[in-house]
Amino acid sequence: MVLLEKAPAKITLSLDVLGKRTDGFHEVKMIMTSVDLTDILELHERHRDVIDVSADSQYVPDDERNLAYKAAAAFKQQYHLTKGVRINIKKNIPVAAGLGGGSSDAAAVLRGLNQMWSVGASRAELTQLGARLGSDVPFCMTGTTALGTGRGEVIHPLPSPPACYVVLAKPDMGISTRHVFPRLNLNNLKHQPTADVIRSLEEANFRNLCDSVGNTLEPVTFSMHPEVARVKEKMLANGAAGAVMSGSGPVIAGLVRPFSRARRVYNGLRGFCDAVYIVRLLDQR
Ligand SMILES: C[C@@](CO)(OP(=O)(O)O)[C@H](O)COP(=O)(O)OP(=O)(O)OC[C@H]1O[C@@H](n2ccc(N)nc2=O)[C@H](O)[C@@H]1O
Ligand SMILES: Nc1ncnc2c1ncn2[C@@H]1O[C@H](COP(=O)(O)OP(=O)(O)O)[C@@H](O)[C@H]1O
């Protein structure tokens, strides 16, 4: 049996860090929404009790370090399964970009195995299992628009954003999340107007949304990689109505209306960046 599962990328419209937790993670408030830039996972049932993973990207491990592998191993252990699976990943989401590609692949494996093996686990059970794999995985289980609290794994659904295009621009580097958080100056955090972003979603107010997006991690990533700050400036200079770094970066997401203006922003950034995309929100009014 073969099963195909899509794994959409996510962008963070707002990311605020409240402080450090006793478990070494940071307390966050972040608003995430999914976009139509997706990895495609092929799940092939194996009768032997093995997990094989392949990915068409040199930047992604094809062994037990792969988040898709970890998800399959956790699912098999949780439900005492001895069947095997081969997972082929078509990577369309840039790696270590702040778009949650690995987390989304892990969530796709949990959804896919639950279906392929007719386990019947609830979405809540899969989300709880996903939280053990990474802070981003619970959001990726839902794939709509939500506020993440705690370390990001506690999910509070939010209204869909107003329809717009998103230009994603990735400078030519990857950034590891675990290298960004420790560099935060916890005594001088630039907090975000999370409540304003939520209100703009409730009111479907595109202008107010664009004026309130922001990311407390930007100063850290920008100081490590000044070119990321330049991409954000260029995104706005080329006509984006709002721009914000996604996750720990380096991707900058620009909110744009209408499509003709999105094309202009896209063209203004191509050649300046390693990869530029125009995507749609998967969950929009
Ligand atoms: C912070 C975000 C925002 O989207 O960064 P991106 O990965 O997307 O860039 C994500 O929630 C990340 O989620 P995920 O990538 O699953 O991170 P995890 O594997 O849980 O944690 C990786 C490392 O990031 C740091 N970390 C992550 C989340 C958090 N709330 N506090 C932290 O300090 C820790 O050092 C941790 O060891
Ligand atoms: N299936 C996967 N897809 C992408 N990255 C993966 C995967 N499995 C493991 N990784 C590793 O996880 C790290 C984070 O990748 P990714 O989730 O794309 O970053 P981000 O959370 O910043 O978007 C990378 O170093 C990558 O090598």
Side-chain angles (χ1 to χ4, degrees):
M1 179 179 183
V2 182
L3 190 142
L4 283 181
E5 191 70 29
K6 281 188 174 182
K10 66 96 178 88
I11 60 172
T12 51
L13 296 170
S14 180
L15 195 162
D16 195 7
V17 181
L18 308 182
K20 187 139 189 197
R21 297 156 42 119
T22 53
D23 63 3
F25 284 78
H26 290 76
E27 194 72 27
V28 296
K29 274 188 179 178
M30 54 188 186
I31 296 174
M32 299 163 279
T33 194
S34 297
V35 294
D36 68 349
L37 173 63
T38 65
D39 288 348
I40 306 290
L41 283 80
E42 259 181 23
L43 306 183
H44 297 257
E45 187 168 20
R46 303 281 308 271
H47 293 295
R48 284 194 314 120
D49 185 1
V50 292
I51 300 172
D52 292 325
V53 175
S54 72
D56 62 349
S57 163
Q58 60 179 325
Y59 303 109
V60 170
D62 57 2
D63 55 23
E64 68 282 354
R65 294 169 298 166
N66 192 297
L67 283 158
Y69 183 105
K70 291 177 179 184
F75 189 83
K76 278 165 52 64
Q77 182 188 34
Q78 180 75 19
Y79 298 103
H80 315 295
L81 299 164
T82 55
K83 299 175 184 176
V85 63
R86 169 168 192 77
I87 304 168
N88 297 331
I89 306 173
K90 172 83 180 79
K91 286 298 300 182
N92 297 310
I93 302 171
V95 176
L99 298 176
S103 305
S104 196
D105 290 351
V109 167
L110 295 179
R111 290 194 301 268
L113 292 182
N114 191 38
Q115 184 182 341
M116 186 160 82
W117 289 334
S118 306
V119 170
S122 68
R123 183 54 61 92
E125 281 176 272
L126 295 178
T127 300
Q128 195 173 15
L129 185 53
R132 293 182 355 217
L133 297 167
S135 307
D136 252 1
V137 180
F139 169 75
C140 295
M141 282 308 304
T142 63
T144 54
T145 303
L147 168 71
T149 57
R151 56 187 168 89
E153 85 285 7
V154 182
I155 298 302
H156 314 266
L158 287 174
S160 308
C164 66
Y165 293 91
V166 181
V167 177
L168 300 174
K170 178 184 159 317
D172 186 10
M173 93 234 1
I175 294 178
S176 168
T177 308
R178 67 180 180 284
H179 293 156
V180 174
F181 274 100
R183 287 177 168 82
L184 272 171
N185 177 354
L186 297 176
N187 300 318
N188 186 27
L189 290 168
K190 183 165 104 31
H191 290 297
Q192 301 302 320
T194 312
D196 292 353
V197 180
I198 293 173
R199 191 174 310 111
S200 70
L201 296 176
E202 289 165 344
E203 297 168 355
N205 187 316
F206 180 66
R207 181 69 265 161
N208 289 352
L209 174 63
C210 293
D211 291 344
S212 51
V213 296
N215 185 334
T216 298
L217 299 176
E218 281 185 1
V220 177
T221 300
F222 290 2
S223 66
M224 292 161 65
H225 302 281
E227 61 272 39
V228 182
R230 284 199 293 277
V231 170
K232 180 176 177 181
E233 290 157 14
K234 212 164 174 61
M235 184 75 80
L236 292 165
N238 279 278
V244 59
M245 183 176 80
S246 186
S248 55
V251 160
I252 298 291
L255 306 183
V256 199
R257 274 177 174 174
F259 183 71
S260 56
R261 178 183 286 246
R263 288 291 307 174
R264 281 204 302 279
V265 176
Y266 170 85
N267 289 329
L269 284 159
R270 279 202 325 180
F272 184 75
C273 279
D274 172 45
V276 188
Y277 309 81
I278 300 179
V279 298
R280 299 298 302 267
L281 299 174
L282 280 181
D283 173 42
Q284 63 181 14
R285 298 197 186 194

